[in-house]
Amino acid sequence: MPYIPDFDTEAVLHILNSIIQKHPEGSPERDAIELAQIALIYPRHIRKEDDFRRFYRDVYDPSFKLKVSHEFSTREEADEWLASGKAEDAERVRIAGKGFMVVRLPGRSTFMSAPLEGEEEETDESGEGSE
């Protein structure tokens, strides 16, 4: 799929609508296209079109790298920051050289292991981590 710089949302919705007409009501294809239309309208509805355009551009950027917002030398230091309430859901951090993602749970946030590029642990044939 090619990258479409400065796409016109209305034009894309119009094209999707013409494709919808080729599929019967209730078909999986029609349902999927209608869902795509709603997904395209949603950023406008919540006034986040610029954020969506940035996300779209980043998806097609071959140099895209995950952004690490904070680096902590210890888990205790990271936990203090997490408890401060400044962390955002899905924010990526590095703790003692390892990648983690902030995850919001009901009533609290926590860290989930989320290796960063080049950090995947190598395993030997038995499935055990290499020393």
Side-chain angles (χ1 to χ4, degrees), residues 64-81:
F64 176 76
K65 302 271 187 220
L66 288 174
K67 292 170 183 69
V68 176
S69 65
H70 293 79
E71 293 198 31
F72 304 99
S73 55
T74 66
R75 179 63 185 244
E76 292 76 25
E77 188 182 330
D79 286 339
E80 284 180 32
W81 172 77

Side-chain angles (χ1 to χ4, degrees), residues 96-119:
K98 302 283 185 186
F100 291 85
M101 180 171 39
V102 175
V103 178
R104 286 243 166 103
L105 300 173
R108 68 183 180 97
S109 292
T110 189
F111 291 113
M112 178 180 81
S113 179
L116 298 166
E117 185 177 326
E119 190 182 312

